[in-house]
């Protein structure tokens, strides 16, 4: 009887270990939940990146919650010049910017204006508007885990999808399916 009593803690430990291992390896680790899916974008107003201009020399506007409503489906990309994965995804964003059916905007996360300007100067500016989120407060309100992250926002200003990590050519078909869904097509 005393031998069985010694085995009870070992069996409980083995059972808990098996349960933890099963939960650890279940689900898709690339999918992080967002409580904001299906909800309006948080209220925010970001100033433009200081000194950022279009190729025509016009200032690139900042970004606000109101500017995300109406017209086209909006793709909102959260990026930074110091972010290595942002460099990887940038060619994909440049291609997305050519699609006239969507509006591509971004906010520059915890970055210095001169670094943001240099980044977009070197790689190209795919964004119709860029807000400067120097404190990171707006990113927190959006539930950003880290850069880059990309949101699909419907015409009504509702967040429809969140992509965590860099947009890659492999991820683009699924992402564009979400964009089409948000546009009602």
């Amino acid at each position: 009887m005393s031998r069985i009593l010694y085995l009870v803690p070992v069996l409980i430990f083995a059972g808990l270990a098996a349960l933890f291992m099963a939960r650890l390896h279940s689900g898709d680790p690339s999918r992080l939940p967002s409580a904001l899916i299906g909800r309006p974008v948080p209220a925010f107003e970001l100033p433009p990146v200081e000194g950022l201009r279009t190729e025509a020399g016009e200032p690139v506007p900042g970004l606000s919650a109101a500017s995300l409503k109406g017209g086209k489906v909006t793709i909102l990309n959260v990026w930074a010049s110091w972010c290595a994965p942002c460099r990887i995804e940038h060619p994909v964003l440049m291609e997305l910017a050519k699609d006239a059916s969507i509006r591509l905007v971004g906010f520059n996360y915890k970055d210095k204006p001169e670094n943001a300007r240099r980044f977009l100067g070197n790689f190209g500016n795919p964004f119709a508007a860029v807000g400067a989120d120097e404190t990171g407060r707006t990113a927190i309100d959006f539930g950003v885990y880290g850069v880059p992250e990309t949101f699909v926002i419907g015409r009504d200003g509702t967040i429809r999808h969140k992509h965590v990590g860099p947009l890659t050519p492999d991820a683009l078909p699924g992402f564009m399916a979400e964009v089409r869904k948000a546009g009602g097509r």
Side-chain angles (χ1 to χ4, degrees):
M1 184 68 171
S2 65
R3 283 185 170 178
I4 294 176
L5 288 177
Y6 286 117
L7 286 177
V8 170
V10 172
L11 292 174
I12 291 173
F13 175 78
L16 285 173
L19 176 68
F20 291 148
M21 287 301 291
R23 294 296 297 160
L24 181 65
H25 295 290
S26 68
D28 183 358
S30 68
R31 294 194 46 94
L32 295 173
S34 176
L36 297 178
I37 303 296
R39 295 190 176 178
V41 295
F44 74 97
E45 192 160 335
L46 293 174
V49 172
E50 184 182 310
L52 185 61
R53 302 220 175 263
T54 66
E55 287 182 11
E58 298 293 320
V60 174
L63 203 55
S64 68
S67 69
L68 300 178
K69 289 184 181 177
K72 304 174 183 179
V73 170
T74 301
I75 296 174
L76 170 64
N77 181 256
V78 183
W79 64 279
S81 66
W82 46 263
C83 162
C86 295
R87 293 172 189 263
I88 294 167
E89 84 171 348
H90 205 77
V92 174
L93 296 177
M94 293 299 288
E95 284 300 311
L96 282 175
K98 296 175 185 176
D99 186 340
S101 68
I102 59 172
R103 180 172 181 245
L104 179 60
V105 299
F107 61 80
N108 182 238
Y109 177 72
K110 290 189 172 183
D111 213 347
K112 294 181 179 173
E114 58 271 13
N115 293 340
R117 285 192 310 271
R118 188 177 314 112
F119 180 90
L120 294 177
N122 289 338
F123 299 109
N125 182 4
F127 304 114
V130 181
D133 187 16
E134 292 183 26
T135 64
R137 182 70 225 173
T138 302
I140 290 170
D141 292 344
F142 268 81
V144 171
Y145 291 95
V147 291
E149 288 190 17
T150 308
F151 296 85
V152 176
I153 301 168
R155 293 179 179 109
D156 60 353
T158 301
I159 297 173
R160 302 292 181 189
H161 177 72
K162 176 181 180 179
H163 179 85
V164 177
L167 282 173
T168 61
D170 291 341
L172 203 52
F175 181 78
M176 290 309 291
E178 295 293 337
V179 171
R180 284 189 294 281
K181 231 189 319 185
R185 298 188 247 144

